[in-house]
């Protein structure tokens, strides 16, 4: 008995759809195979996340754990979303030196034991001075950043050998743009070398030291501010005297941390007519690493020229 017309049409339609679906699956599969997956990278902060993007281009998928200026890497506790990203990462970039220990805690917790881990402090080769503490803010040290860029390119190449040429080219282009920053520091050193500056935290010290400037802030003051501890009245007065006695030509302050002692310090600088140069630990909104550091060095030069 012949099938009704509607039934025959339904069967034909189903067969046609199945055929099209089969063709689509084959095409999609081929397209997926022709487009390699991006290298998954987790960076502890958006500073390193931006640098990875400059080296990796469109061949990387970067997650920056800390990208909010209000987050403190020293005390940050990663959430499940961060842990998931880290578990899938092929490359991990951290600052190290005790700055972003949450990354090491997650790695040691078994979230990923196969990722290539780049520790910027270890790459820098810097160690604590005798009787002192390590300044872990190595992203303010341009020679260290150049070394980290090389490590990033090597790690991405290992994860994705087919794009090695692009990674190497991008790394070289980034490093070439670091050279003008070092030249600006050298110019400051030539024009203002030996000048005294004050800081609220050790964040900018690699930049000020490369510029030939002398940090006159009592170590007890900047260390206490960095650790969130109280400053003794004696040390606070010693610090404030830097401005009333005009022993420094600029105050370079971390504007991401504020408290009564830093407020008094900034007020003392302004009252004495000493320029204040604000810096940050993470990328300001709308800035990339190179633009951010260019603005920092230019602001320092401008303050010293006043």
């Amino acid at each position: 008995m012949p099938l009704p017309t509607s039934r025959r049409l339904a069967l034909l339609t189903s067969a046609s759809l199945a055929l099209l679906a089969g063709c689509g699956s084959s095409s999609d599969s081929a397209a997926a195979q022709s487009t390699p997956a991006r290298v998954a990278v987790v960076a502890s902060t958006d500073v390193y996340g931006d640098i990875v993007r400059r080296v990796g281009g469109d061949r990387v998928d970067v997650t920056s754990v800390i990208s909010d200026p209000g987050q403190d890497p020293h005390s940050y506790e990663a959430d499940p979303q961060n842990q998931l990203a880290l578990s899938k990462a092929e490359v991990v970039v951290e600052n190290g030196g005790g700055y972003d220990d949450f990354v090491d805690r997650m790695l040691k917790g078994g979230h990923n034991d196969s990722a290539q881990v780049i520790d910027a402090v270890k790459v820098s080769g810097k160690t604590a001075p005798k009787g002192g503490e390590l300044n872990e803010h190595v992203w303010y040290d341009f020679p260290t950043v150049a070394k980290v860029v090389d490590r990033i390119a090597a790690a991405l190449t290992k994860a994705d050998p087919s794009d090695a040429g692009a990674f190497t080219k991008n790394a070289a282009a980034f490093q070439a743009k670091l050279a003008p920053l070092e030249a600006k520091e050298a110019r400051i050193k030539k024009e203002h070398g030996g000048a005294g500056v004050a800081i609220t935290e050790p964040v900018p010290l690699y930049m000020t030291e490369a510029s030939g400037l002398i940090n006159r802030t009592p170590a007890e003051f900047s260390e206490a501010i960095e650790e969130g501890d109280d400053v003794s009245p004696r040390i606070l007065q010693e610090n404030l005297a830097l401005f009333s006695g005009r022993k420094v030509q600029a105050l370079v302050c971390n504007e991401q941390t504020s408290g009564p002692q830093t407020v008094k310090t900034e007020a003392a600088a302004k009252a004495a007519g000493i320029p204040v140069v604000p810096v940050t630990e993470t990328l300001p909104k709308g800035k990339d690493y190179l633009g951010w550091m260019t603005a920092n060095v230019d602001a320092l030069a401008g303050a010293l020229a006043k």
Side-chain angles (χ1 to χ4, degrees):
M1 179 174 148
L3 291 171
T5 301
S6 59
R7 174 78 177 193
R8 290 200 305 273
L9 287 172
L11 289 172
L12 286 170
T13 301
S14 298
S16 299
L17 288 173
L19 180 61
L20 288 171
C23 293
S25 297
S26 175
S27 175
D28 292 345
S29 176
Q33 291 176 2
S34 65
T35 305
R38 294 179 179 182
V39 180
V41 183
V42 168
S44 63
T45 71
D46 55 4
V47 174
Y48 293 109
D50 179 73
I51 295 172
V52 171
R53 288 188 185 92
R54 303 302 161 187
V55 178
D58 62 1
R59 300 308 317 136
V60 294
D61 184 8
V62 183
T63 298
S64 296
V65 178
I66 292 181
S67 57
D68 181 351
Q71 295 172 317
D72 183 359
H74 293 283
S75 58
Y76 183 77
E77 293 293 336
D79 59 29
Q81 189 174 5
N82 301 145
Q83 294 172 349
L84 178 61
L86 190 67
S87 70
K88 298 178 179 179
E90 296 171 78
V91 178
V92 175
V93 184
E94 63 176 339
N95 186 75
Y99 184 78
D100 41 17
D101 282 342
F102 63 88
V103 174
D104 291 330
R105 287 196 295 270
M106 287 194 291
L107 289 172
K108 290 176 182 177
H111 293 286
N112 190 334
D113 58 3
S114 62
Q116 300 177 73
V117 180
I118 300 171
D119 182 316
V121 168
K122 289 182 179 178
V123 171
S124 76
K126 296 182 182 298
T127 57
K130 187 175 181 179
E133 294 188 4
L134 170 72
N135 178 12
E136 71 272 25
H137 307 95
V138 293
W139 63 94
Y140 269 86
D141 181 63
F142 303 134
T144 290
V145 173
K147 293 178 183 178
V148 171
V149 166
D150 278 335
R151 290 294 185 90
I152 290 171
L156 295 179
T157 294
K158 184 175 179 180
D160 177 14
S162 63
D163 285 312
F167 300 145
T168 301
K169 181 180 178 181
N170 292 344
F174 188 96
Q175 290 167 329
K177 292 179 181 179
L178 289 173
L181 291 173
E182 295 185 68
K184 287 175 182 284
E185 291 177 329
R187 192 175 306 119
I188 294 174
K189 186 174 184 178
K190 181 178 179 180
E191 296 174 357
H192 305 283
V197 294
I199 61 170
T200 54
E201 290 188 53
V203 174
L205 280 182
Y206 288 117
M207 179 178 70
T208 59
E209 288 167 358
S211 300
L213 307 175
I214 299 173
N215 171 32
R216 299 199 184 280
T217 302
E220 299 93 331
F221 179 86
S222 55
E223 288 170 7
I225 297 300
E226 183 178 28
E227 298 299 327
D229 297 333
D230 290 332
V231 178
S232 72
R234 179 182 65 83
I235 294 299
L236 178 59
Q237 289 307 312
E238 184 180 334
N239 185 62
L240 297 178
L242 294 174
F243 309 104
S244 59
R246 302 197 64 82
K247 298 176 182 178
V248 295
Q249 293 188 26
L251 166 65
V252 188
C253 64
N254 180 6
E255 65 178 355
Q256 286 180 249
T257 58
S258 181
Q261 294 91 352
T262 57
V263 169
K264 288 181 180 179
T265 297
E266 290 186 48
K270 291 176 181 177
I274 292 172
V276 177
V277 180
V279 295
T280 58
E281 296 185 52
T282 53
L283 287 177
K285 187 175 181 180
K287 290 277 189 179
D288 61 16
Y289 176 82
L290 292 166
W292 173 43
M293 285 297 154
T294 298
N296 286 335
V297 178
D298 287 347
L300 181 61
L304 294 168
K306 290 181 179 179

